Every structure is written in C-alpha cells, then in structure tokens.
Amino acid sequence: MDAFLTIVSRREAREYDSRPLPEDAVRRILEAGRLAGSSRNRQARRFVVLRDRRLIEHAAEAVYSPGNLLEAALVVAIVVSGKGPLGFDAGRAAQNMMLAAHSEGIGSCPNGVADAVGMEAVLGHAEDEQVATLISFGYPGRPRDPKRRSPEEWIARADRLPFEQLIEER
C-alpha cells in the first residue's frame, strides 16, 4: 500500500476478531518499532510482548481501556528508561508499529497506563523504567479496505481540525 494512503486511512481498532496473527506479521510489526529513530540513537526503550492471557488480563486492569487488550491477538508494552525525550521516542516506535500493522490489514490501538504500580507488578520492569504505552493488535472486528477511498476522501472523513487552523506559515 502507498505510504500516504497507509497514514491517512489508519484508524484505531478497538474490537478484534479471534484470528491469531501470523508470526511473520508480528515480526514485521516489532521490527518497525525497533527500527524507529531515537534521540541521539540511544534506543532507550524495549518492547515487552504479552502473549500469556493471564498477563494480558492483569495488564488490562492497569490501563484506561481494558476491552481492547482483552480481545487482542497481540499486546506490546513499550518500556522506556533514562532521560530525554522518551515519550517522543516511544511515540515514534508506536506509530511505526501501528502503521506496519495497518499496511497488513491488522488493526491496533494505543492504551495509556492508569495504574503504574499495577503495571509494574505485571511487567516487573526496573525502577528506572516506565511503561510509555501498551498497544493492542488484531484483525479488526469490522474489516476496512483502505483502497476503497482516495487519500483525499480519507482526509475529508477524518475527525481532525482543519488544515488551515493547524498549519501556520511565517
């Protein structure tokens, strides 16, 4: 799929069907995150892949929207450490993974941590680490065909502020 079409047609998937994801697709999603840029190439992040249903259930208790974790075929926690623009670097990795998934017909949704202590109990991360986000992945409950619309049509349908309101030139 064209990169611009992939970007403008991606929407959050909060409901998934029960199909498992192919391991080669999971590998590409994780590679997309691994290869995201980072400040000064420090790569101060790691990805914790949750496959155990019991761990996913416990992680769901510590996020803002548990439902999409519970239905997901794959859950990835982005764990960051150190100082600097960690949230930005985690966001770059997350967006890479979500776009890679979307290009393969796999849906995704980021989820914030509502209970840091509870999440630490699930992941067992170090004291100097924090969970930036968890991302759920799976085949969308309502499949979408990005190619059914042009990029301009996807843009027109997006619930975003108008271009002229956000873009300022000087």
Side-chain angles (χ1 to χ4, degrees), residues 125-140:
H125 53 281
E127 192 173 299
D128 69 332
E129 293 181 312
Q130 63 181 337
V131 179
T133 190
L134 279 85
I135 310 169
S136 57
F137 295 94
Y139 287 109

Side-chain angles (χ1 to χ4, degrees), residues 1-9 99 102-103 146-147 150-152:
M1 183 179 350
D2 170 74
F4 189 63
L5 180 60
T6 300
I7 293 166
V8 301
S9 65
L99 289 170
H102 179 58
S103 74
K147 295 179 182 176
S150 70
E152 294 74 25

Side-chain angles (χ1 to χ4, degrees), residues 62-86:
V63 298
Y64 288 106
S65 297
N68 59 11
L69 259 63
L70 295 172
E71 293 182 6
L74 173 69
V75 176
V76 177
I78 301 178
V79 181
V80 295
S81 63
K83 296 180 180 181
L86 300 174

Side-chain angles (χ1 to χ4, degrees), residues 86-109:
L86 300 174
F88 182 73
D89 287 351
R92 292 168 77 181
Q95 189 75 356
N96 269 17
M97 287 191 278
M98 292 185 295
L99 289 170
H102 179 58
S103 74
E104 301 208 25
I106 298 168
S108 62
C109 188

Side-chain angles (χ1 to χ4, degrees), residues 3-166:
F4 189 63
L5 180 60
T6 300
I7 293 166
V8 301
S9 65
R10 196 192 92 60
R11 302 292 186 269
E12 310 303 352
R14 293 180 177 88
E15 297 175 5
Y16 306 106
D17 71 19
S18 61
R19 289 181 289 161
L21 301 179
E23 282 305 311
D24 60 330
V26 170
R27 176 68 186 234
R28 285 189 293 276
I29 290 166
L30 294 170
E31 286 283 13
R34 183 178 76 85
L35 293 171
S38 68
S39 176
R40 296 164 55 195
N41 199 29
R42 285 183 299 192
Q43 303 173 55
R45 61 181 176 237
R46 62 189 178 93
F47 309 109
V48 179
V49 179
L50 299 177
R51 295 182 188 264
D52 181 299
R53 295 311 307 171
R54 186 178 50 79
L55 285 177
I56 291 171
E57 288 170 8
H58 289 302
E61 294 172 5
V63 298
Y64 288 106
S65 297
N68 59 11
L69 259 63
L70 295 172
E71 293 182 6
L74 173 69
V75 176
V76 177
I78 301 178
V79 181
V80 295
S81 63
K83 296 180 180 181
L86 300 174
F88 182 73
D89 287 351
R92 292 168 77 181
Q95 189 75 356
N96 269 17
M97 287 191 278
M98 292 185 295
L99 289 170
H102 179 58
S103 74
E104 301 208 25
I106 298 168
S108 62
C109 188
N111 213 318
V113 177
D115 176 6
V117 173
M119 189 59 68
E120 184 176 352
V122 173
L123 298 181
H125 53 281
E127 192 173 299
D128 69 332
E129 293 181 312
Q130 63 181 337
V131 179
T133 190
L134 279 85
I135 310 169
S136 57
F137 295 94
Y139 287 109
R142 293 180 319 191
R144 298 182 180 111
D145 177 13
K147 295 179 182 176
R148 76 177 189 265
R149 294 189 177 101
S150 70
E152 294 74 25
E153 291 171 307
W154 282 108
I155 291 168
R157 295 175 60 90
D159 183 19
R160 299 292 184 269
L161 293 172
F163 184 90
E164 295 75 19
Q165 190 174 339
L166 290 177

